[in-house]
Amino acid sequence: MKLQRKNGLRATALGALALSGALVLTACGSDDNTAAGGSGEKTGAASNIKCDDAKGQLLAAGSTAQKNAMDLWVKNFQAACSGVEINYQAIGSGGGITKFNQGQVAFAGSDSALKPEEVEESKKICKGGQGINLPMVGGPVAIGYNLDGVDNLVLDSSTLAKIFDSKIKKWNDKAIADLNPGVKLPDTEIQAFHRSDESGTTQNLHKYLSEAAPADWKHDPKSKSWLAPGGQAANGSSGVAAQVKQTQGSIGYFELSYATAQSIDTVKLNTGAAAPVEATTENASKAIAAAKIKGTGSDLALSLDYKTKAEGAYPIILVTYEIACDKGNKAETLPTLKAFLNYTVSDEGQKVLAEAGYAPLPAEIAAKVREIVPTLA
């Protein structure tokens, strides 16, 4: 894999989560995934990875938001652990959960926690147990736009809700103009893009709009499918970003990494704080730092504050979970599953992401995940 690092994004909040756009997979080529010793000697970045009894192939699928992080983790883990192949399909959170609950993958990546009905369904696969949510990475959902002559755009939750609900249709609408005094806004039709697949990114945007602009957003905040009328659909965050990049007058939502990789302008949000807040890893960290664990037992689902008005806190945030069975995992893949997740949440796994522009998990949450992963059975 050929990796491109974007300079200038360095997370500074070590006590918070952030999913940055600093590390972006740009092309696939041939990697030298061999390392001396397999589960014995390790070299380079993989030096502290513990392979334990990992072997064979591990299938996983889900969130596109964590794809860039997963690519790095997989590369390092495979380099350290000879004979191991981890295949992660970035098909969207909904698709990942479906595959998990059908027993097709060992774990799923999701930008939202399992719904109660999904937990019940998981019990058919997790014999004697159920699917649990293990937070691993998180960060801002950027609102990207493409508008010639406008490189500094401010919106608030109300105007954003009306844009995505097809109630504001032109860029020079008074509501947008009032938030951008002195900015020459064109009389251009707004081309709004949304996800066509089931997505936790969509769900997190739904939650933000529902909580921050309840009078203007009446759609189900729990839905992973896009519910608002109008707009145009594209598959995955990469698909939405590609459409925004090439379409004049467009707007869409995707993880910051996609905006950074393609140099797409992003909206600053008027949250009620003293100044509009930009979508950055540090600003998302300020919002995510207040996350509370709402799950019980081995489940570490988090509650996020989408209505924050804290200075510099960017409120459209997500946390990506790895979803696995607490009990009832397949015996042939369990050792590899545990070894891989032990690595991703380890100091080594988190440090690698931090060096690439990500921020590690909050210490107290990381500690809880580290306690639970070894207990998977």
Side-chain angles (χ1 to χ4, degrees):
M1 298 291 178
K2 183 178 179 182
L3 297 172
Q4 172 181 332
R5 297 176 186 270
K6 303 291 289 185
N7 293 327
L9 288 177
R10 286 295 178 268
T12 58
L14 294 182
L17 293 157
L19 178 65
S20 165
L23 181 72
V24 181
L25 182 72
T26 57
C28 290
S30 60
D31 287 321
D32 179 7
N33 285 340
T34 60
S39 60
E41 296 181 24
K42 321 285 192 312
T43 60
S47 60
N48 294 325
I49 294 177
K50 296 180 180 180
C51 302
D52 296 326
D53 297 320
K55 61 182 179 180
Q57 187 181 62
L58 188 70
L59 300 179
S63 164
T64 61
Q66 70 170 16
K67 181 181 186 300
N68 298 329
M70 190 60 66
D71 285 330
L72 181 59
W73 281 330
V74 167
K75 181 183 178 184
N76 287 346
F77 191 77
Q78 289 182 167
C81 305
S82 61
V84 175
E85 179 186 352
I86 297 175
N87 185 339
Y88 181 82
Q89 295 179 307
I91 60 174
S93 299
I97 290 172
T98 296
K99 281 184 174 288
F100 176 76
N101 279 340
Q102 291 176 347
Q104 297 180 30
V105 294
F107 73 90
S110 178
D111 307 330
S112 58
L114 290 170
K115 297 177 182 177
E117 60 268 27
E118 292 170 336
V119 173
E120 284 301 312
E121 189 177 355
S122 74
K123 293 178 181 178
K124 300 175 184 177
I125 298 299
C126 305
K127 303 299 184 182
Q130 66 182 43
I132 57 171
N133 304 284
L134 301 173
M136 208 60 71
V137 290
V141 177
I143 306 298
Y145 69 96
N146 184 344
L147 198 59
D148 281 347
V150 180
D151 56 9
N152 187 9
L153 182 69
V154 176
L155 298 175
D156 59 15
S157 57
S158 176
T159 56
L160 203 56
K162 291 175 182 176
I163 287 171
F164 281 119
D165 208 24
S166 298
K167 293 176 181 175
I168 292 180
K169 299 182 179 182
K170 290 204 171 184
W171 279 110
N172 63 350
D173 187 277
K174 184 177 184 301
I176 299 177
D178 287 347
L179 289 165
N180 296 273
V183 176
K184 187 175 181 180
L185 296 165
D187 182 26
T188 303
E189 293 283 342
I190 296 175
Q191 306 291 327
F193 286 91
H194 57 264
R195 293 278 290 269
S196 60
D197 53 323
E198 284 198 339
S199 162
T201 310
T202 294
Q203 187 185 53
N204 279 278
L205 179 61
H206 280 166
K207 288 179 179 178
Y208 164 73
L209 294 174
S210 181
E211 293 188 23
D216 301 303
W217 192 259
K218 302 298 185 180
H219 306 291
D220 180 7
K222 297 180 180 180
S223 176
K224 291 187 181 73
S225 299
W226 188 256
L227 301 176
Q232 302 175 62
N235 187 63
S237 291
S238 59
V240 174
Q243 290 298 323
V244 170
K245 177 68 175 180
Q246 67 187 25
T247 306
Q248 180 59 209
S250 61
I251 190 170
Y253 59 95
F254 31 79
E255 292 70 40
L256 183 60
S257 57
Y258 295 94
T260 305
Q262 300 187 50
S263 299
I264 298 173
D265 289 326
T266 60
V267 168
K268 293 180 180 178
L269 292 176
N270 182 336
T271 64
V277 185
E278 187 177 356
T280 67
T281 57
E282 182 177 358
N283 291 343
S285 294
K286 293 176 183 177
I288 297 173
K292 306 296 183 183
I293 294 175
K294 64 179 181 180
T296 58
S298 297
D299 186 88
L300 297 180
L302 301 177
S303 177
L304 304 175
D305 181 9
Y306 298 96
K307 296 187 292 184
T308 181
K309 295 182 180 179
E311 296 301 324
Y314 184 82
I316 313 180
I317 48 179
L318 60 76
V319 170
T320 291
Y321 303 92
E322 312 311 340
I323 294 170
C325 297
D326 57 356
K327 298 177 182 178
N329 290 284
K330 294 180 180 179
E332 61 269 26
T333 56
L334 180 59
T336 306
L337 171 67
K338 292 168 71 172
F340 181 64
L341 295 183
N342 273 327
Y343 162 58
T344 62
V345 76
S346 69
D347 286 336
E348 181 77 8
Q350 296 291 304
K351 180 182 178 182
V352 168
L353 295 183
E355 290 172 347
Y358 291 84
L361 290 165
E364 65 278 10
I365 294 177
K368 290 182 180 296
V369 178
R370 289 169 190 156
E371 289 175 3
I372 291 170
V373 172
T375 70
L376 299 181

